[in-house]
Amino acid sequence: MTLRLSPGVHRVQVVVGCLLSWALGAVVVRLGLDWADTFMYSEASEWRYLGVAVAALLVAIGGSVTTVFVARRQRRRPQVKSRS
């Protein structure tokens, strides 16, 4: 018996994976800004804020790209038949 997913299911998995990646990026922003606000404001604060923004973008974009690559790989992989 083979399990074949329709193209629509793959599309839903990609959309959900990308949304989760961006949600995780938002969590990184929230936690990073809470951390950055524990220091007194100075010129270095702007660099901390920039670092938080870059980290959040890396998490969100990296997660989205990984989701697309995993979905493409699953689609190309030949279906394995079980010995039932």
Side-chain angles (χ1 to χ4, degrees), residues 9-56:
V9 173
H10 285 290
R11 194 170 298 128
V12 169
Q13 289 174 343
V14 169
V15 169
V16 170
C18 289
L19 288 175
L20 287 175
S21 298
W22 284 92
L24 186 58
V27 169
V28 169
V29 167
R30 185 69 209 146
L31 294 176
L33 290 179
D34 284 345
W35 167 78
D37 288 340
T38 60
F39 299 99
M40 294 293 292
Y41 183 80
S42 67
E43 290 182 22
S45 298
E46 300 298 326
W47 289 103
R48 282 189 210 103
Y49 296 147
L50 183 62
V52 167
V54 169

